[in-house]
Amino acid sequence: MIAVTLSLGIVFSIISFIAAFFLLPRKERVATAIIIGMAFMLGAIFIQGILQSMPVLYLIFIRGLGAKAGSAAYVALERSYPLLIAAFLGLMAGFWQELAKFFAVKYNSERLAPWVGFGFAAIDILIFLVALAPGLNISASQEAAIGLASIVPVILQAPFSMAFHTGTAAFLKRGMGQDKTKAMRNLAIAILAHAYVDGSLDYVTISIALLGLQHLLGDLIVWIPSVAIALVFLVCLSRYIKYTARS
């Protein structure tokens, strides 16, 4: 039997894809824009992953601690400096993904920019669903023991990803249509917003695993600000769509 969390993740992911497909303005070359977004997202994640691994790789290879001792030393750093580690991980994610999105939308037309964001969201959601796959091996009683704390992010992740990535893509493209200063300003805002979202998730993950933070409190820390950020970018997306429809 498919775990409840995986089922919910799939359902809300499908809903998010369908809603975006019908709400975003459809135009020729949409499929190309989506593929470009997916390719740039994969490239960003590849670079991001390497750089995020640098601290533990430094401990293992440069300090010569070996895999087991190096990993243990990194966990000790997470326990001692959770905010610092989370900020580093969040900034790496925000910088590389939004920089990649900036260049991906730069060479696409205004009306295709949100579809580039759709491609970014598609990869994000697929990674999220793959992460849920181990839940297939969780029994019903085990899943019930986890409680609602595991349900909240499962419900919100896909809609958030779609709103955030399509919204920031439009936000970045709008800045480019004004002047260089506003383009750089919008890029900096998108990077910081993304860094906060990912960084807060990393902080909560570390705190739950190592510092005894409750799952429910962790969800509140991550999702209340994240939903607010997504709504802001949804407003930007709505205004952007109206702007491109007039142009």
Side-chain angles (χ1 to χ4, degrees):
M1 179 178 178
I2 298 178
V4 173
T5 52
L6 180 58
S7 300
L8 285 173
I10 293 172
V11 168
F12 278 89
S13 296
I14 292 172
I15 291 172
S16 300
F17 282 121
I18 292 174
F21 183 79
F22 283 103
L23 292 175
L24 293 177
R26 289 190 292 280
K27 188 177 173 61
E28 69 276 4
R29 296 182 64 244
V30 161
T32 301
I34 293 173
I35 292 171
I36 289 172
M38 294 175 73
F40 271 78
M41 178 62 156
L42 287 171
I45 290 174
F46 178 75
I47 297 172
Q48 167 195 329
I50 293 174
L51 293 176
Q52 286 178 330
S53 301
M54 292 305 292
V56 69
L57 292 176
Y58 169 80
L59 292 169
I60 293 172
F61 296 107
I62 307 300
R63 291 285 301 274
L65 298 180
K68 186 175 181 180
S71 298
Y74 182 71
V75 170
L77 286 176
E78 288 182 316
R79 183 180 286 108
S80 300
Y81 307 103
L83 277 174
L84 185 61
I85 296 296
F88 168 73
L89 296 175
L91 282 170
M92 286 295 99
F95 179 80
W96 289 107
Q97 290 185 35
E98 296 310 315
L99 184 65
K101 193 181 299 171
F102 180 87
F103 285 106
V105 300
K106 182 176 182 179
Y107 299 106
N108 276 277
S109 68
E110 287 183 331
R111 294 191 181 183
L112 287 174
W115 290 102
V116 172
F118 185 103
F120 273 74
I123 295 298
D124 203 23
I125 292 170
L126 288 173
I127 291 173
F128 159 68
L129 291 176
V130 169
L132 288 181
L136 288 169
N137 298 320
I138 297 177
S139 67
S141 59
Q142 288 175 314
E143 190 164 51
I146 295 173
L148 290 175
S150 65
I151 301 300
V152 173
V154 167
I155 291 173
L156 293 177
Q157 180 62 54
F160 166 81
S161 292
M162 188 60 70
F164 182 83
H165 285 293
T166 55
T168 49
F171 183 68
L172 291 171
K173 189 66 174 180
R174 185 73 180 99
M176 294 175 196
Q178 296 172 313
D179 56 56
K180 187 175 181 179
T181 300
K182 290 182 179 178
M184 293 299 100
R185 179 204 63 186
N186 286 13
L187 175 60
I189 291 172
I191 288 172
L192 291 174
H194 196 139
Y196 174 82
V197 171
D198 275 40
S200 65
L201 180 58
D202 291 321
Y203 174 75
V204 164
T205 301
I206 293 169
S207 297
I208 289 173
L210 302 177
L211 304 175
L213 182 71
Q214 295 296 313
H215 279 85
L216 182 57
L217 179 57
D219 284 342
L220 294 175
I221 292 172
V222 172
W223 288 106
I224 290 178
S226 295
V227 169
I229 289 170
L231 290 175
V232 169
F233 283 114
L234 267 182
V235 171
C236 293
L237 175 62
S238 176
R239 292 178 177 177
Y240 180 85
I241 290 173
K242 292 177 182 178
Y243 161 76
T244 56
R246 293 194 302 266
S247 61

